[in-house]
Amino acid sequence: MEHARRPLIAGNWKMNGLRADGLERARALAALAGAADAPPCDWVVCPPASLLLAVGPALAGSPVTLGGQDCHTAASGAHTGDVSAAMLADAGCRYVIVGHSERRADHGEGDALVAAKAAAAQAAGLVAIVCVGETEAERDAGRAHAVVARQIAGSLPAGASALDTVVAYEPVWAIGTGRTPTPDDVQAMHAHIRSCAPPAIDASALRILYGGSVKPGNAATLLRLADVDGALVGGASLVVEDFWAIGEATR
Ligand code: PEP
């Protein structure tokens, strides 16, 4: 059976925002979302951990939900500087990003650790947004599909389902660069990812987001592709009007 996959637009604020501008952005987004009838997509914003307890209440009552940018594999313990999935849930999060390429690169995170983080997120009742994507060298070498297949096999935990897991395809070379793959390349990769989903996951219900320089100007083209079920947005999520316009492009 063909599933109607509801689009998800996720904003990754990364390490940006102090209370004043973070709150202003959250309030403006909540106001826009609250005023619109029948939102065409699900929304989530992932502020830095320091802002979760401020942004959460600002979004309360709006259709925009809260997410974390990373979590530890353990629920608690001696892990200085880390935050657990249970803590994110306690702070009001519904989602958490795991395996973002910046964490894979900056913190040496590999597929097995990403899978353990996703499992911890799911155990805490969160939806894990699991990021995968090839580097430019891997694409140039014709290895993009093989690399992403390996990441999917290694980064999705055994018990994952389409209800508690979202995949974000983010070619590393497209993040923050203003460059994107062609629509044909994006569609081909998303179809490939769907075909690689482990048998335990209902692949036809799995939401697969595209991420990497999504802007209002290219959102409609990318979001209308058959296997693109939303977007993970970095830079443009910091500009409320742009982030809003990307969601509207799912109509
Ligand atoms: C990201 O970092 O997840 C991302 C997609 O960034 P940008 O939209 O800025 O390319």
Side-chain angles (χ1 to χ4, degrees):
M1 186 185 117
E2 194 56 38
H3 284 259
R5 295 182 296 269
R6 184 166 167 81
L8 172 65
I9 304 297
N12 175 11
W13 291 5
K14 309 193 185 189
M15 199 171 71
N16 293 296
L18 300 177
R19 253 184 314 168
D21 58 302
L23 265 179
E24 193 181 317
R25 191 180 304 125
R27 286 185 183 133
L29 183 62
L32 274 174
D37 34 51
C41 58
D42 293 338
W43 296 93
V44 55
V45 291
C46 304
S50 59
L51 289 185
L52 288 172
L53 290 177
V55 167
L59 297 175
S62 88
V64 186
T65 55
L66 193 65
Q69 296 180 12
D70 179 52
C71 67
H72 197 275
T73 57
S76 63
H79 303 289
T80 304
D82 281 311
V83 61
S84 76
M87 290 168 177
L88 294 176
D90 187 52
C93 291
R94 302 263 305 276
Y95 293 83
V96 61
I97 300 167
V98 294
H100 191 282
S101 63
E102 287 155 10
R103 292 210 60 89
R104 289 180 187 258
D106 295 354
H107 299 271
E109 296 190 1
D111 293 334
L113 179 60
V114 174
K117 289 183 173 201
Q122 290 154 354
L126 300 177
V127 175
I129 302 176
V130 180
C131 300
V132 297
E134 81 284 357
T135 64
E136 185 159 30
E138 288 163 343
R139 177 156 285 267
D140 289 348
R143 294 175 43 227
H145 281 220
V147 166
V148 169
R150 190 206 67 218
Q151 291 174 331
I152 290 290
S155 305
L156 297 184
S161 80
L163 290 177
D164 62 17
T165 308
V166 171
V167 171
Y169 167 58
E170 299 207 303
V172 178
W173 52 273
I175 294 179
T177 62
R179 298 163 58 205
T180 58
T182 66
D184 283 353
D185 284 346
V186 172
Q187 169 54 28
M189 181 62 88
H190 279 233
H192 173 63
I193 290 170
R194 205 174 296 290
S195 75
C196 292
I201 293 184
D202 176 0
S204 68
L206 178 66
R207 292 196 283 189
I208 305 174
L209 314 184
Y210 169 77
S213 296
V214 177
K215 311 281 179 213
N218 60 19
T221 302
L222 293 163
L223 291 168
R224 82 165 66 94
L225 297 169
D227 285 290
V228 173
D229 307 311
L232 178 53
V233 184
S237 73
L238 297 173
V239 181
V240 172
E241 296 72 23
D242 288 358
F243 189 52
W244 180 253
I246 291 168
E248 283 295 300
T250 63
R251 280 193 195 274

